[in-house]
């Protein structure tokens, strides 16, 4: 049986139904869109399983991860081996020479390679998710696809967007592309910083600003650039806290001539192309995060059972047990997120952009906590390098490397702060559209869906005002932003989660959420024997999701009504809105966990146990975030920050030594010719056919 060919993107996002994230923040969380086909959700097609088996075998036998860490470089033979396997073209359709495997298979491959060494998964993801493959599949012409996609089977690509002064603001871009009508080409000038795969790339997707003129309206535009073209210079290879072996560098373009036929899309469509490519690309990081958490479960289990203190394994001590439980429950939730969103994205009928952004935000934040807890669980050994432990005669467990490697997840591909702001902006716009009737599709869809778990109150009309949703927080009994009304609102009075500190005692968030959780009633939180279902306890958690989503929908609707059409008045509400986004992320992960646990089934009920554990932990975090909507230090913090910037507290900086090296905070990257040799590393051996096609079923062989 051959693997199905990955379909090329069809309808644009606007023509697809809204994703679960949109419905969640509009107060209508229906879990049906998260439910996959019947059967084991972990099972892939036979061809995909065979590919992953070959990849695992290669990683275990041919890759020395410790050597990569020491040398800060992936050996050429390892990269060539990945090419031979077809790992650079997992989702590339077979008609272009790729394997044509599924998104699920691609994400599983990233999980295998990232736990071998994260530099491998970064190489593969930067090439296939945001490199040349995805932009061309989405926006390329037939001619461009035929010319470039077969080369992506063995040639590495990179996406050159970031510059020293860009960060999350691409409109500060300085790289230019000037059209020359005489040669029907563009001349590119500029410097790109932090280009992943930039040091080893054969093909670059370069974002540049085209001045408005005879060639068109201009604006940010995407181009395919040959990495060995005259004027392209890799000026330096960057080094980071973690991700050793990452081929990330600074690329200078000086009067690089690019044929007009290499322009992807129209002039001015570059940002749309970049964002669309990131939609799928953002699922890469949750997959890698899930893999890191799954590995952490393994290490936590083995170590906390082997390490004995005070007469018993450390996992039997309550303080450590909490850490092990958190790591295991979070790993399950992250795997669930990846599984359910990947299936929706692969189906192609749903706009999963917000879902992927929410998953990236949640996964990167939680995996950092998992890694930190694993270091703490390992104690001094967690802070020690694996190489040092081996030298002492102990097992080399790279826990400190994990901490260094996963930290970048909160920065790469949109920082957590930027993602919260972007998500909040889009969700407020969704509320405006729903309130004005400009976008009634979601409301009609959710109204037609009937009754959701525990949602007798939500059945019926799609008009939010008619059901008392998302209009006036005061009218519907929702918590009010104290900044807006000038005073704090008692969360107990509005029936919401209570801050234990505020009331002076521990409060069960399940109880104040009006959910009859078995544990709260003194019953076992395990399988419901009377119902004959291991997962019956998950119903309570889904009811909590429904009720809490209505609350955050009300908060967002009120902000939408208060702010201006262009988002005026939101600058001072970023943390307030960020907490709402974080609550939504927890609710999404809870929903995915419950759906995934039910899909897995299991005679012993273990998936439901993990989902229940995660949901109970998540509800505590939700309670804290909700409480801080009404009582927080946001205004005071802004005042203190203003004083810091004004120099009011410079006396606090005295008595220390600043070892920073003098220089500008942001380098001025002036266009012009290179002043040194190119550091580009060519991995593709001379004479390798550019269109060599790996087999998805045959025995792996090295192409001469």
């Amino acid at each position: 049986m051959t693997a199905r060919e990955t379909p090329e993107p069809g309808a644009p996002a606007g023509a697809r139904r809204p994703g679960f994230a949109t419905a969640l923040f509009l107060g209508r969380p229906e879990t049906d869109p998260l439910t996959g086909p019947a059967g084991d959700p972990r099972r892939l097609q036979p061809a995909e399983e065979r590919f992953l088996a070959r990849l695992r075998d290669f990683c275990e036998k041919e890759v020395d991860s410790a050597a990569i860490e020491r040398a800060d470089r992936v050996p050429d033979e390892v990269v060539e081996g990945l090419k031979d396997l077809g790992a650079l073209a997992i989702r590339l359709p077979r008609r272009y020479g790729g394997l044509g495997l599924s998104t699920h298979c691609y994400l599983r491959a990233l999980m295998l390679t990232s736990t071998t060494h994260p530099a491998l998964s970064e190489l593969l993801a930067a090439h296939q998710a945001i490199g040349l493959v995805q932009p061309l599949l989405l926006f390329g012409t037939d001619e461009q696809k035929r010319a470039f996609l077969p080369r992506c089977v063995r040639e590495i690509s990179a996406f050159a967007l970031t510059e020293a002064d860009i960060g999350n603001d691409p409109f500060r871009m300085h790289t230019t592309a000037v059209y020359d009508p005489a040669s029907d080409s563009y001349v590119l000038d500029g410097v790109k910083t932090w280009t992943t795969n930039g040091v080893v790339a054969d093909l670059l997707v370069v974002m540049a600003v085209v001045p408005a003129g005879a060639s068109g309206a201009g604006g940010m535009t995407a181009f395919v650039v040959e990495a060995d073209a005259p004027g392209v210079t890799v000026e330096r290879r960057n080094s980071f806290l973690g991700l050793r072996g990452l081929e990330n560098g600074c690329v200078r373009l000086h009067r690089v001539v690019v044929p007009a036929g290499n322009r992807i899309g129209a002039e001015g469509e570059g940002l749309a192309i970049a964002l669309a490519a990131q939609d799928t690309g953002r699922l890469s990081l949750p997959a890698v995060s899930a893999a890191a958490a799954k590995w952490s479960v393994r290490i936590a289990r083995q170590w906390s059972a082997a390490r004995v203190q005070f007469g018993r394994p450390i996992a039997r001590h309550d303080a450590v047990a909490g850490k092990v439980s958190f790591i295991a429950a979070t790993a399950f939730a992250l795997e669930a997120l990846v599984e359910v969103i990947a299936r929706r994205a692969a189906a192609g009928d749903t706009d999963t952009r917000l879902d992927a952004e929410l998953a990236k935000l949640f996964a990167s934040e939680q995996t950092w906590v998992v890694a930190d807890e694993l270091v703490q669980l390992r104690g001094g050994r967690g802070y020690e390098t694996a190489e040092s432990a081996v030298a002492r005669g102990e097992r080399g467990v790279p826990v400190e490397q994990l901490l260094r490697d996963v930290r970048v997840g909160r920065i790469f591909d949109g920082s957590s702060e930027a993602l919260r702001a972007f998500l909040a902006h889009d969700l407020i716009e969704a509320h405006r559209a729903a309130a004005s009737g400009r976008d009634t599709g979601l409301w009609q869809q959710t109204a037609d869906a009937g009754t959701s778990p525990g949602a007798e109150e939500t059945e019926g009309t799609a008009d939010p005002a008619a059901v008392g949703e998302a209009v006036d927080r005061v009218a519907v009994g929702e918590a009010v932003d104290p900044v807006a009304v000038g005073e704090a609102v008692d969360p107990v009075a509005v029936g919401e989660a209570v801050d234990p500190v505020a009331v002076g005692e521990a409060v069960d968030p399940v109880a104040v959420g009006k959910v009859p959780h078995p544990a709260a009633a003194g019953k076992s939180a395990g399988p419901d024997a009377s119902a004959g279902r291991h997962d019956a306890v998950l119903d309570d958690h889904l009811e909590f999701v429904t009720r809490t989503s209505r609350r955050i929908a009300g908060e967002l609707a009120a902000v939408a009504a208060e702010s201006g059409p262009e988002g005026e008045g939101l600058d001072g509400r970023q943390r307030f809105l960020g907490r709402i986004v974080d609550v939504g992320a927890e609710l999404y992960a809870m929903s995915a966990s419950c759906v995934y646990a039910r899909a897995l089934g299991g005679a012993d009920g273990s998936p439901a146990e993990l989902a229940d554990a995660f949901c109970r932990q998540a509800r505590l975090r939700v309670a804290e975030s909700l409480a801080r909507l009404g009582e927080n230090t946001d205004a005071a913090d802004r005042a203190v920050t203003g004083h810091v910037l004004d120099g009011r507290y410079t006396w606090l900086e005295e008595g220390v030594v600043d070892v920073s090296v003098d220089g500008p905070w942001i380098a001025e990257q002036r266009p012009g010719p290179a002043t040194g040799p190119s550091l580009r590393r060519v991995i593709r051996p001379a004479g390798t056919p550019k269109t060599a096609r790996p087999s998805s079923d045959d025995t792996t062989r090295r192409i001469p």
Side-chain angles (χ1 to χ4, degrees):
M1 178 178 180
T2 59
R4 66 176 178 83
E5 180 167 310
T6 304
E8 292 184 30
R16 292 175 280 163
R17 68 179 181 178
F20 180 75
T22 306
L24 179 70
F25 283 100
L26 284 171
R28 303 293 190 184
E30 286 288 344
T31 57
D32 286 347
L34 301 182
T35 304
D40 188 346
R42 297 167 297 179
R43 184 173 300 168
L44 300 177
Q45 294 189 27
E48 296 174 332
E49 296 286 4
R50 289 193 292 271
F51 166 74
L52 292 175
R54 292 195 300 271
L55 180 61
R56 173 184 285 276
D57 187 67
F58 175 81
C59 288
E60 291 178 343
K61 297 178 180 178
E62 304 296 331
V63 181
D64 185 343
S65 58
I68 294 175
E69 193 69 10
R70 286 193 302 270
D72 192 16
R73 172 166 297 194
V74 179
D76 287 7
E77 58 268 23
V78 171
V79 180
E80 284 298 298
L82 291 171
K83 293 179 182 180
D84 293 344
L85 286 167
L88 267 66
I90 298 171
R91 295 180 64 249
L92 184 66
R94 293 179 66 84
R95 63 177 169 275
Y96 299 119
L99 300 182
L101 303 179
S102 68
T103 298
H104 260 79
C105 183
Y106 164 70
L107 296 177
R108 299 274 181 87
L110 294 185
M111 295 174 78
L112 284 174
T113 52
S114 68
T115 46
T116 303
H117 195 282
L120 302 181
S121 58
E122 285 294 329
L123 172 74
L124 299 180
H127 167 67
Q128 296 178 80
I130 60 172
L132 186 58
V133 175
Q134 192 70 4
L136 277 190
L137 285 176
L138 290 170
F139 297 95
T141 65
D142 289 339
E143 182 179 0
Q144 288 173 334
K145 292 175 183 178
R146 289 193 299 268
F148 293 112
L149 288 180
R151 294 176 57 182
C152 292
V153 175
R154 296 194 66 87
E155 295 185 58
I156 299 170
S157 66
F159 190 81
L161 166 65
T162 306
E163 299 177 9
D165 199 27
I166 284 184
N168 290 298
D169 183 5
F171 295 102
R172 300 177 68 90
M173 186 175 294
H174 298 295
T175 299
T176 60
V178 179
Y179 180 67
D180 177 18
S183 60
D184 191 26
S185 61
Y186 291 83
V187 179
L188 275 60
D189 283 280
V191 180
K192 295 297 184 179
T193 309
W194 303 309
T195 302
T196 300
N197 283 358
V199 179
V200 296
D202 301 289
L203 294 163
L204 302 167
V205 179
V206 177
M207 305 295 293
V209 177
V210 177
S215 64
M220 196 181 305
T221 308
F223 299 90
V224 182
V225 178
E226 299 280 355
D228 60 358
V232 179
T233 305
V234 178
E235 290 196 316
R236 60 185 51 84
R237 183 176 183 268
N238 301 318
S239 298
F240 300 99
L241 170 70
L243 292 182
R244 291 174 182 166
L246 182 70
E247 297 292 353
N248 182 292
C250 299
V251 181
R252 177 175 293 275
L253 302 109
H254 175 60
R255 302 197 60 78
V256 178
V257 178
V258 179
N262 284 23
R263 186 190 68 215
I264 306 176
E267 290 183 2
E269 291 184 350
L271 184 57
I273 291 171
L275 293 175
Q278 282 184 325
D279 289 352
T280 300
R282 282 211 168 99
L283 287 178
S284 302
L285 198 144
V288 169
S289 298
K294 286 161 69 72
W295 180 80
S296 298
V297 175
R298 179 184 181 89
I299 299 305
R301 173 178 60 83
Q302 294 178 346
W303 166 249
S304 60
R307 177 63 162 165
V308 175
Q309 293 283 274
F310 305 106
R312 52 181 169 166
I314 59 173
R316 301 300 180 184
H317 293 279
D318 188 58
V320 176
K323 299 183 186 302
V324 175
S325 173
F326 167 75
I327 292 171
T330 303
F332 178 81
L334 293 181
E335 179 172 280
L337 269 178
V338 172
E339 291 291 331
V340 300
I341 298 179
R343 290 193 184 279
R344 270 279 59 87
D349 60 349
T350 304
D351 179 6
T352 56
R353 180 176 59 88
L354 296 185
D355 299 57
E357 289 182 351
L358 207 62
K360 187 272 180 187
L361 171 66
F362 182 82
S364 60
E365 290 290 330
Q366 292 302 310
T367 304
W368 166 249
V369 181
V370 166
D372 185 60
E373 290 285 54
L374 186 61
V375 169
Q376 190 71 17
L377 193 153
R378 284 275 289 162
R381 291 173 173 84
Y383 197 69
E384 184 181 24
T385 67
E387 189 174 33
S388 175
V390 171
R392 292 191 299 100
E394 289 191 355
R395 180 175 179 176
V397 185
V399 172
E400 60 84 26
Q401 179 190 334
L402 176 72
L403 191 72
R404 290 186 287 105
D405 289 339
V406 303
R407 181 59 181 85
V408 77
R410 301 174 63 205
I411 302 171
F412 268 11
D413 201 15
S415 69
S416 294
E417 292 74 20
L419 277 180
R420 290 187 181 100
F422 295 156
L423 280 161
H425 175 272
D426 288 347
L427 294 168
I428 288 172
E429 287 302 309
H431 273 279
R432 286 201 180 104
S436 66
R438 287 185 285 115
D439 185 8
T440 59
L442 176 64
W443 291 110
Q444 189 59 49
Q445 171 192 326
T446 52
D448 293 344
T451 305
S452 60
E456 292 83 358
E457 313 124 297
T458 68
E459 187 176 0
T461 176
D463 179 4
V467 294
E469 294 297 333
V471 182
D472 182 349
R473 286 175 294 171
V474 177
V476 297
E478 298 293 342
V480 182
D481 177 17
V483 177
V485 299
E487 62 180 356
V489 176
D490 181 2
V492 178
V494 296
E496 296 298 335
V498 182
D499 180 3
V501 178
V503 299
E505 62 179 0
V507 178
D508 182 356
V510 177
V512 299
K514 303 177 183 178
V515 178
H517 193 285
K523 302 177 183 178
S524 170
D528 187 340
S530 62
R533 283 175 51 197
H534 291 294
D535 63 355
V537 68
L538 304 183
D539 291 338
D540 294 335
H541 297 311
L542 290 174
E543 289 176 7
F544 175 84
V545 169
T546 298
R547 185 170 54 258
T548 309
S549 79
R550 292 202 298 268
R551 174 177 176 180
I552 61 176
E555 299 284 359
L556 286 170
V559 174
E562 296 165 3
S563 59
E566 300 299 324
E568 295 91 341
L570 296 182
D571 285 347
R573 308 288 296 277
Q574 287 184 350
R575 283 199 288 170
F576 177 84
L577 292 171
R579 293 181 191 108
I580 295 176
V581 170
D582 286 342
V583 169
E586 296 279 4
L587 298 181
Y588 199 132
M590 290 175 64
S591 302
S593 297
C594 292
V595 169
Y596 187 54
R598 285 177 170 164
L600 290 175
D604 63 350
S606 58
E609 291 171 2
L610 287 171
D612 177 45
F614 172 77
C615 288
R616 284 194 273 167
Q617 294 168 11
R619 287 168 76 154
L620 289 173
R621 296 190 293 266
V622 167
E624 180 180 359
S625 293
L626 290 176
R628 292 183 65 191
L629 291 180
E631 185 173 355
N632 54 65
T633 63
D634 295 355
D637 292 341
R638 289 193 294 272
V640 169
T641 299
H643 293 323
V644 170
L645 296 179
D646 292 340
R648 181 178 177 85
Y649 308 134
T650 53
W651 52 266
L652 187 60
E653 302 167 13
E654 297 172 1
V656 297
V657 176
D658 183 359
V659 298
S660 304
V661 178
D662 288 340
W665 285 103
I666 300 172
E668 184 179 357
Q669 302 286 5
R670 296 181 180 179
T675 58
S678 178
L679 301 180
R680 179 171 174 252
R681 175 184 165 202
V682 180
I683 295 179
R684 178 169 54 88
T688 300
K690 291 185 176 181
T691 58
R693 174 177 174 172
S695 168
S696 62
D697 292 312
D698 298 336
T699 302
T700 301
R701 61 186 178 87
R702 187 173 297 279
I703 299 174

